Amino acid sequence: MIDLHSHILPGIDDGAQTIDDSRELAMRAAADGIGTIAATPHVRTDYPTTPEQMEQGVALLRADFAREAIPVEVVEGGEVDLEALGRLDPEEIRRFTLGQTGRYLLVECPYYGWPPGLEQRLFDLVVTGVTPIFAHPERNSVVQASPARLEALVEGGSLVQVTAASLDGRIGRRAEQTATKLVRDGLAHILASDAHTPEIRAVGLAEAVRAVGNRELARYLTEDAPAAIVAGEDVPPRPAKRRRLFGR
């Protein structure tokens, strides 16, 4: 599997604080069946990560994991908030894209509220040739009240990433219900961990995959779509709907 959302870089944001934290996350990921992790540190006012910091962190982990024989590939990325989108220049945005292909950018959904003009900001990114991947909207109270709000974003060219811990119930009932609905309604394209530390949203996708209850769809969310994104290719069509989802 490929995990496109993690805070595995040490000492950059509110994720891993030490190289030992990073190693632990990677070893747990490998044990869970994950072979590739995107390092997506926060890019926002409280964590103003630069492309250089991210790139240096990725290089550090690649070298360290090779020495430690940890079988996980680390690729570039960033979790950019809406405010930061307005101040990054095109080259900085390209460097924060997943795998630095210039094609897909993880954009942080706010936890509270729905900023005016959000849809337009994401569409403006689409116009430049960069596809936004809207991260963890199932944890936003506005989306929880009306998941269909995401339809306009998806129709405008954005993709949606759901957090594994939401889907398998670790974050709470409302997040689980919303994540389940987004997957069922075809409004979720990627399943990722948003791992921060071994104690906070620990890395892992297997439990959420089991929760989906449909092997073909689970593979699409954790392997097929993420692989295309890392390669900078078009995301393949979602598998045809099946009656059996979430064990029912």
Side-chain angles (χ1 to χ4, degrees), residues 150-170:
L150 295 180
E151 290 177 2
L153 297 184
V154 173
E155 290 171 359
S158 294
L159 302 178
V160 172
Q161 174 256 306
V162 163
T163 305
S166 296
L167 198 60
D168 63 31
R170 282 177 282 158

Side-chain angles (χ1 to χ4, degrees), residues 5-20:
H5 186 171
S6 82
H7 298 267
I8 195 170
L9 299 184
I12 286 185
D13 60 6
D14 57 347
Q17 295 304 298
T18 67
I19 193 71
D20 287 335

Side-chain angles (χ1 to χ4, degrees), residues 36-54:
T36 301
I37 294 179
T40 54
H42 288 295
V43 183
R44 64 189 194 198
T45 302
D46 53 346
Y47 297 108
T49 308
T50 65
E52 291 80 9
Q53 288 175 309
M54 178 272 295

Side-chain angles (χ1 to χ4, degrees), residues 166-200:
S166 296
L167 198 60
D168 63 31
R170 282 177 282 158
I171 292 181
R173 186 62 177 159
R174 292 198 71 188
E176 180 184 6
Q177 290 174 334
T178 306
T180 299
K181 182 169 179 55
L182 294 178
V183 172
R184 279 182 170 162
D185 292 351
L187 294 174
H189 308 86
I190 300 141
L191 189 58
S193 72
D194 190 14
H196 278 61
T197 69
E199 294 76 34
I200 301 175

Side-chain angles (χ1 to χ4, degrees), residues 15 44 85 93 107 119 167 214 227 240:
R44 64 189 194 198
L85 277 179
I93 288 176
V107 177
E119 293 91 345
L167 198 60
N214 179 278

Side-chain angles (χ1 to χ4, degrees), residues 1 162-170 176 178-186 188-192 204-223 238-248:
M1 296 182 287
V162 163
T163 305
S166 296
L167 198 60
D168 63 31
R170 282 177 282 158
E176 180 184 6
T178 306
T180 299
K181 182 169 179 55
L182 294 178
V183 172
R184 279 182 170 162
D185 292 351
H189 308 86
I190 300 141
L191 189 58
L205 301 177
E207 284 299 322
V209 162
R210 283 189 280 272
V212 172
N214 179 278
R215 186 174 299 176
E216 186 179 8
L217 178 58
R219 185 174 62 245
Y220 173 83
L221 296 169
T222 59
E223 299 179 43
R238 176 186 165 100
K241 284 190 176 182
R242 295 287 187 268
R243 183 170 297 176
R244 187 176 186 275
L245 286 176
F246 301 94
R248 293 184 287 278

